[in-house]
Amino acid sequence: MRRCRAWFTAGVVAAGGVSLAGCGGPLSALDPAGPAASAIAELWWVMLIGATALFVLVMALLLWTFVRRGDGGASPKLWLVGGGLVLPALVLTPLLGYGLLTGERLLAHAGATDVVRVDVEARQWQWTFRYPAPGGTRISVNELHIPAGRPIDLHVGSADVIHSFWIPRLGGKIDAIPGHVNLIRLSAGQAGTYRGVCAEFCGTGHTMMDFRVQAHDADDYAAKLRALPQDGR
Amino acid sequence: MMDARIDQPAAATSPIRLHKQLDALWGTPGGWGRLAAVNHTIVGRRFIATAFVFFGIGGILAMLIRAQLATPRSAFLGPEIYNQIFTMHGTVMMFLFAIPMFEGFAIYLLPKILGARDMAFPRLGAYGYWCYLFGGSMLLIAMAVGLAPNGGWFMYTPLCSKAYTPGINADIWLIGITFVEISALSAAVEIIATILKMRAPGMSLDKMPLLAWYLLVTAFMMLFGFPPLILGSILLEVERAFDLPLFDPTRGGDALLWQHLFWLFGHPEVYIIFLPAAGMVSTILPVLARREIIGYSWIVISIVALAFLSFGLWVHHMFTVGIPHLALAFFSSASTAVAVPTAVQIFAWIGTLAAGRPQLKLPMLYLLGFFSVFVVGGLTGVMLAIVPFNWQVHDTHFVVAHLHYVLVGGFVFPMLAAAYYWLPHVTGRVPRHSLGVPAFWLIIVGFNVTFLVMHLTGLLGMPRRIHGYGAETGWEWPNLVSSLGSFVMAIGFALFTVDVVMHWLHGKRSPRNPWSAGTLEWATAVPPPNYAFASLPDVATRTPLQERPDLGNHLARGGGYLGFVRHDWLETLGVDVMSGRVEQIVRLPNRTLLPLFTALVTGVFFVAVLFKLYIVALLALPAIVAMLLAWTPVSGERCDRGALPIGNGAEAVLHSEAASPPSLWAMGLTLAADATAFASLAFGILFLWVVAPNWPPPAMIAWAPASIALAVIGLLIAFAASRAATSRRVIGNGSRRESALAIALLGQIVALVGFAGVIAAVPPPTQHAYAAATKLILIYAALHAALGVVFAGFGIWRSRTGYVSQRRSVDLRIGALWSDFTAAIGLATLLIVYGLPRVMG
């Protein structure tokens, strides 16, 4: 919410009407609650401002060609080199670098400390979460428990068709593909309840295939895990 | 032997008389005779009208979607019906509206802008149309009875595999769309051959109208883009019908193989849709800006670059499937790089407007709509190419908004502009603009209200393809806004339809060339006669009509080439690819019911496969081949005629005696598409080996030295003998060339026997994807050998019936091309089948 507010002024100028209220919501990527989602939301606001500026520029040029008086002036080469090559190069190169660096930061790099592992198994139409621990793996269905403030490595697989694991307020999505296990690192800044959904169409139950995310403080988390049933598998 | 005098043209005495002579020959009779039409003007109009009907159907489906999503927890449509509706909306708009609409425009316009009388293969165009109509009807009938495809328009496996979609729904998509795609491939071959070989004399490549460049590049993209889709569809249908586990991860298949094959087609598809529309912009805009377009060569280089790039960025549809970040970086860069050639075009257009004196006529209004909408789509496209942002918004309504900005902006708006621009040409009437302007405002306002807010809906977390949502999500008001906007847009399209019908019926007579355009299509009378040009022009510049405004009358008087009727032949000129120098007279086939009947038999094949009547399907295949062979007698000559006069003191040989007739090009292009399908299959095998779980397979192919030897020897004999048959020493002698062809035929049979033996050495194909894919690639090669038998037999038949001589060698050269190709992929197949297990250990 704070991030949204910080960009609020610029956002209004740029988008011309995206209001603060418009950014909220239990599944809003614009209301980030973790570092990954924040980084991406920031990327979005930067791109929105840039895109709006470019759009206004192109439309203004277009309008100018109709209302101008006299000769068009600029030589053809200037249009082609300036608009076709220089402008995209100036815009795209830094953007690409920014995007790749952001993406690189969000990856689940080895060597991070204090990482919590959760195994996610999607199937039509429910989510099963397994928490490997020395005392035996715990299990929960359609409710994911994580400790707040720690990086979580989610190992996502599927038992049947392709699904996609997505908690918009915490970060991007990762597909759950049968025969493969994909890894995504997420983190919740504060304790609280978040929501996740299946983002990849997976049949008639796709709409209903959502789950709750409970981020706990450290002590609560340990207690909650102990209260979960043991994995019978 | 014919008397040489007979080949002299009969001189026409007046334009009216010339028109009557040509019209009697090229025209299509009314009533049932219409079914026999092969003329490009008629076939093109049919494509356009049918595609527009499908656009209306797709639009109604869109309205149902918006009605469902207008309010939270709507009980209007249940998930079963909703899934069918959004799948059909995407499928109809992509495969049954956009591509056929472009094909229709291309077929209608191409000969006219190139200064030819028809497309290179009129019957192929008609056949493609019937395949499109029948295949599309299959999907509509399925929807009417509630069995429409329901897995989303990109049909991801394993959701669309038998285990999770046991009904007929997915089969209807796979079979119906493959049927329709025959028309896409045939159009691609026809368009390329026409542009390269059938231009007006003097129209070198650099003097072609830009639209022809756009259509040429688009057709090449179709030629290489559609084979992976068709191959993927066949693989999935084979998995569903015969349990070959190509996409089943428990038996060595991989769901991602489908995604790669689909998007390898699916991304170029976006540019296949955009480029022809951009070509229309590049045609209409300079005319209404009253200035030649700036940067002709820049644009040509841009669209070629776009075509290459578009095949290198399909993975940006797959950023969330777990591909390593370094690979994503590559595809992300390629995806953003696409903005460069697009920007070159945008600024070439703006620069043209700036340098000219633009008029805000109705087509220009729609072009401004195109600019505003398409630029937004391009900008959000760059956003989506940025990997981390893509992770958030992939599969949400943000993507839905983006793709509608690109496709409606990049295709529908230019098409509406094109409709208003060329309508006087099609109907011979001047539109009454009274409804075109309000229609524009309803469409553009409705569109932006619908889709601008949808970006936000996606950012607020709404995934694609859900049929309901709770009020607490905050998605209620943006969805309601979208739904309201969509109904405004629908009213706009309805108004456009009414406007078109009204001026078709009640418009004023249009003068020739109402826009003062420079391209050749406006040199015909409006509406155009079936033969397009009474005589063919000499072209020296890119805008021949600008330099010579009276060119149309000059041609109508028979002042150009071929301004006469000879032997009741349908003649047009063929040129050298680069220079546009006259090279040959292309004799075109007349109206015939064969394309319709061939399409009907093709339909029998597809319906039989759909209902698992495989005996019927197997009987239909030779019937299709026989029908196609029945096309051939009119496309050859039984005697050498030498050079014939073409008017204006010039002469040229008939295409049957030419060094590079269009049919030879068609064969080469078809083989290029074939090679792409083969390469996709080989890629699939390698991909499974490297990426899929549950490898290595339990059993490998057995060593079958005798069968391998037979296959290799047979392929080589067929290759050598077919080549020998076309050599100077052999082809001139009837019995020698027939013996060579007979040896080629035997060689193909030997190869077939060899392949049968190798196929028998493959482990049971339902056991593992390895065995399934190995069996399929061997069958692929064997099928080519089987068709090689047909080609060799065809050569013998043509030789016996007098169609072959040393000068008339094209039939045998086509057969030789086939044997070359069969030998190449046959040997490659054996290398893959026996080499890969050793390389991969």
Side-chain angles (χ1 to χ4, degrees):
Chain A
M1 214 59 177
R2 210 174 317 126
R3 176 68 69 183
C4 192
R5 200 185 303 273
W7 286 94
F8 177 63
T9 321
V12 166
V13 173
V18 175
S19 67
L20 177 62
C23 297
L27 289 156
S28 174
L30 302 181
D31 187 7
S38 295
I40 296 173
E42 190 176 307
L43 185 60
W44 153 250
W45 291 115
V46 170
M47 289 195 299
L48 176 64
I49 292 166
T52 309
L54 284 173
F55 177 73
V56 170
L57 172 72
V58 174
M59 288 305 111
L61 286 173
L62 201 57
L63 199 65
W64 169 78
T65 65
F66 280 86
V67 298
R68 83 195 147 76
R69 305 225 176 273
D71 185 35
S75 80
K77 274 269 154 52
L78 189 69
W79 288 104
L80 296 167
V81 176
L85 300 181
V86 176
L87 183 68
L90 284 179
V91 172
L92 295 177
T93 316
L95 177 62
L96 201 58
Y98 176 26
L100 292 178
L101 281 178
T102 306
E104 199 60 31
R105 270 199 295 135
L106 302 184
L107 294 182
H109 292 289
T113 53
D114 210 20
V115 177
V116 178
R117 176 183 173 129
V118 180
D119 292 329
V120 182
E121 186 194 66
R123 64 170 66 236
Q124 287 179 326
W125 290 280
Q126 70 173 30
W127 298 94
T128 306
F129 302 100
R130 294 194 173 82
Y131 311 85
T137 300
R138 304 284 168 160
I139 184 168
S140 66
V141 172
N142 288 342
E143 198 162 54
L144 169 63
H145 297 280
I146 54 172
R150 286 173 67 186
I152 322 292
D153 276 1
L154 297 130
H155 297 254
V156 182
S158 168
D160 43 41
V161 304
I162 298 177
H163 306 271
S164 192
F165 175 87
W166 189 32
I167 310 166
R169 292 193 61 203
L170 299 191
K173 57 184 72 66
I174 191 82
D175 290 353
I177 300 170
H180 296 266
V181 172
N182 283 330
L183 171 61
I184 187 170
R185 178 170 293 173
L186 296 173
S187 176
Q190 284 170 359
T193 304
Y194 306 100
R195 273 177 60 178
V197 291
C198 173
E200 181 65 62
F201 176 64
C202 57
T204 48
H206 171 56
T207 306
M208 305 304 167
M209 192 172 160
D210 55 0
F211 58 97
R212 282 157 60 84
V213 183
Q214 297 278 3
H216 305 274
D217 293 326
D219 297 345
D220 290 355
Y221 179 65
K224 186 69 209 178
L225 273 198
R226 279 196 298 278
L228 288 178
Q230 293 266 6
D231 185 10
R233 214 172 51 172
Chain B
M1 254 303 126
M2 290 256 182
D3 183 347
R5 250 179 326 114
I6 299 175
D7 289 336
Q8 295 302 319
T13 48
S14 75
I16 305 289
R17 198 188 154 117
L18 178 59
H19 166 73
K20 282 190 173 148
Q21 285 178 344
L22 283 166
D23 196 50
L25 205 50
W26 291 77
T28 300
W32 290 104
R34 291 197 175 91
L35 296 176
V38 296
N39 184 275
H40 73 282
T41 298
I42 298 173
V43 173
R45 279 199 320 240
R46 282 180 187 171
F47 262 108
I48 292 171
T50 311
F52 193 74
V53 169
F54 277 112
F55 179 66
I57 294 168
I60 291 168
L61 295 171
M63 292 299 98
L64 294 175
I65 294 172
R66 282 322 317 170
Q68 169 72 14
L69 295 180
T71 53
R73 300 191 201 287
S74 166
F76 174 52
L77 303 169
E80 274 89 7
I81 299 295
Y82 185 77
N83 293 350
Q84 291 189 23
I85 284 179
F86 74 69
T87 302
M88 282 299 283
H89 169 68
T91 304
V92 166
M93 287 303 197
M94 284 288 187
F95 296 103
L96 304 179
F97 159 61
I99 295 287
M101 180 60 92
F102 136 68
E103 287 163 13
F105 265 98
I107 291 172
Y108 180 90
L109 281 176
L110 254 183
K112 297 173 188 115
I113 63 172
L114 295 174
R117 281 179 172 156
D118 206 326
M119 298 288 283
F121 311 109
R123 293 175 300 182
L124 190 63
Y127 173 67
Y129 173 75
W130 296 119
C131 287
Y132 158 52
L133 183 68
F134 298 157
S137 305
M138 277 170 69
L139 282 146
L140 286 191
I141 292 167
M143 186 165 69
V145 298
L147 290 173
N150 55 3
W153 79 271
F154 34 81
M155 296 287 292
Y156 273 4
T157 57
L159 181 61
C160 292
S161 298
K162 199 79 179 172
Y164 304 102
T165 306
I168 200 172
N169 312 57
D171 302 308
I172 285 172
W173 193 97
L174 295 167
I175 290 162
I177 292 300
T178 302
F179 194 6
V180 171
E181 291 334 327
I182 291 177
S183 72
L185 274 184
S186 62
V189 169
E190 201 186 6
I191 289 170
I192 297 172
T194 303
I195 295 176
L196 292 182
K197 295 303 293 180
M198 311 262 294
R199 305 191 301 266
M203 189 186 278
S204 52
L205 278 186
D206 63 323
K207 293 200 187 72
M208 279 204 312
L210 268 178
L211 182 57
W213 274 108
Y214 277 98
L215 294 175
L216 180 67
V217 172
T218 307
F220 267 109
M221 291 177 67
M222 288 168 78
L223 199 67
F224 297 114
F226 276 94
L229 172 72
I230 293 173
L231 178 88
S233 300
I234 293 171
L235 295 186
L236 183 49
E237 182 55 31
V238 164
E239 174 181 285
R240 291 178 54 86
F242 306 114
D243 195 28
L244 301 194
L246 295 155
F247 305 104
D248 176 2
T250 61
R251 288 180 286 166
D254 199 321
L256 289 179
L257 175 60
W258 171 263
Q259 295 196 16
H260 281 290
L261 290 176
F262 187 87
W263 291 119
L264 199 49
F265 144 81
H267 198 80
E269 158 89 345
V270 176
Y271 295 92
I272 290 169
I273 292 173
F274 167 64
L275 280 180
M280 314 239 159
V281 177
S282 288
T283 308
I284 302 169
L285 186 138
V287 172
L288 297 183
R290 290 176 284 191
R291 191 205 186 284
E292 204 180 342
I293 197 156
I294 68 168
Y296 177 96
S297 48
W298 282 67
I299 291 180
V300 171
I301 293 167
S302 292
I303 55 185
V304 173
L306 205 59
F308 276 99
L309 277 173
S310 76
F311 280 91
L313 39 82
W314 77 95
V315 170
H316 77 212
H317 297 265
M318 302 167 63
F319 277 174
T320 63
V321 303
I323 292 170
H325 193 239
L326 191 66
L328 296 190
F330 169 80
F331 286 101
S332 174
S333 316
S335 306
T336 47
V338 162
V340 174
T342 314
V344 167
Q345 289 174 79
I346 298 264
F347 282 93
W349 294 325
I350 294 180
T352 305
L353 289 173
R357 289 170 295 131
Q359 304 162 282
L360 196 58
K361 294 194 172 165
L362 192 55
M364 182 63 91
L365 189 61
Y366 281 91
L367 287 187
L368 292 178
F370 149 76
F371 272 105
S372 62
V373 173
F374 182 70
V375 168
V376 172
L379 291 167
T380 53
V382 171
M383 295 182 187
L384 281 166
I386 303 302
V387 177
F389 183 67
N390 188 293
W391 288 337
Q392 268 292 21
V393 294
H394 175 69
D395 267 332
T396 70
H397 273 68
F398 188 94
V399 172
V400 179
H402 158 73
L403 73 90
H404 282 87
Y405 267 89
V406 170
L407 292 173
V408 175
F411 187 74
V412 176
F413 274 101
M415 281 296 148
L416 293 170
Y420 278 116
Y421 180 78
W422 276 296
L423 217 45
H425 193 278
V426 180
T427 63
R429 292 172 189 276
V430 183
R432 297 182 191 281
H433 290 170
S434 49
L435 289 179
V437 175
F440 169 79
W441 288 110
L442 285 170
I443 292 171
I444 191 132
V445 170
F447 176 84
N448 280 296
V449 169
T450 307
F451 289 107
L452 191 62
V453 72
M454 202 180 277
H455 293 105
L456 179 66
T457 321
L459 287 165
L460 293 180
M462 183 164 171
R464 285 171 92 163
R465 298 172 171 180
I466 60 173
H467 68 276
Y469 51 90
E472 81 289 350
T473 52
W475 306 336
E476 191 176 355
W477 71 266
N479 271 300
L480 186 61
V481 169
S482 285
S483 295
L484 293 176
S486 73
F487 284 91
V488 174
M489 179 168 41
I491 295 168
F493 280 115
L495 213 55
F496 166 80
T497 314
V498 171
D499 195 32
V500 169
V501 172
M502 288 294 283
H503 92 241
W504 196 307
L505 298 177
H506 305 297
K508 296 174 290 189
R509 292 287 309 166
S510 168
R512 272 191 187 203
N513 198 2
W515 309 105
S516 311
T519 40
L520 279 175
E521 79 272 28
W522 296 104
T524 70
V526 291
N530 285 298
Y531 53 84
F533 301 98
S535 62
L536 303 183
D538 227 334
V539 170
T541 67
R542 283 175 196 154
T543 48
L545 226 51
Q546 210 104 66
E547 284 73 36
R548 240 195 118 171
D550 69 328
L551 184 63
N553 291 327
H554 171 72
L555 297 179
R557 282 195 304 271
Y561 297 105
L562 296 179
F564 49 75
V565 170
R566 158 167 55 203
H567 298 313
D568 288 350
W569 287 355
L570 283 68
E571 295 177 60
T572 189
L573 290 176
V575 297
D576 173 64
V577 171
M578 297 297 293
S579 67
R581 197 166 23 78
V582 177
E583 204 179 62
Q584 53 190 298
I585 300 167
V586 180
R587 237 194 98 188
L588 294 173
N590 211 333
R591 52 196 169 252
T592 161
L593 286 167
L594 275 172
L596 173 61
F597 290 146
T598 313
L600 281 171
V601 179
T602 314
V604 168
F605 170 78
F606 281 104
V607 172
V609 173
L610 181 64
F611 291 108
K612 317 230 176 294
L613 307 167
Y614 296 113
I615 306 280
V616 180
L618 279 179
L619 290 174
L621 277 179
I624 295 170
V625 173
M627 301 286 290
L628 289 172
L629 287 175
W631 292 28
T632 57
V634 300
S635 61
E637 297 291 330
R638 289 180 196 240
C639 64
D640 291 339
R641 291 175 187 273
L644 302 176
I646 57 172
N648 292 338
E651 48 183 31
V653 295
L654 278 169
H655 71 271
S656 43
E657 296 173 32
S660 77
S663 49
L664 197 64
W665 279 84
M667 190 64 195
L669 295 166
T670 308
L671 291 180
D674 193 343
T676 313
F678 178 77
S680 306
L681 183 54
F683 160 81
I685 295 176
L686 192 65
F687 176 85
L688 289 177
W689 214 302
V690 176
V691 175
N694 294 317
W695 282 69
M700 290 291 180
I701 186 169
W703 185 238
S707 297
I708 298 169
L710 273 183
V712 172
I713 291 167
L715 289 170
L716 292 178
I717 288 176
F719 160 71
S722 324
R723 274 284 146 212
T726 63
S727 70
R728 289 186 74 80
R729 303 220 357 232
V730 179
I731 194 164
N733 179 315
S735 61
R736 267 198 216 155
R737 66 179 179 244
E738 279 156 36
S739 319
L741 290 168
I743 294 170
L745 192 147
L746 275 176
Q748 300 286 20
I749 291 176
V750 171
L752 259 181
V753 173
F755 276 116
V758 179
I759 289 169
V762 180
T766 53
Q767 189 185 75
H768 193 275
Y770 159 79
T774 305
K775 197 151 206 147
L776 287 173
I777 200 169
L778 284 165
I779 291 174
Y780 194 99
L783 259 179
H784 280 75
L787 278 175
V789 173
V790 175
F791 274 101
F794 170 69
I796 296 171
W797 174 47
R798 294 285 271 188
S799 173
R800 288 270 165 113
T801 45
Y803 285 98
V804 180
S805 75
Q806 189 160 354
R807 303 176 66 128
R808 285 168 286 124
S809 60
V810 56
D811 290 327
L812 301 196
R813 284 191 284 153
I814 285 176
L817 268 182
W818 184 268
S819 331
D820 299 349
F821 183 76
T822 302
I825 69 156
L827 297 178
T829 299
L830 291 171
L831 263 178
I832 291 167
V833 166
Y834 283 102
L836 209 54
R838 273 153 194 77
V839 177
M840 304 299 293

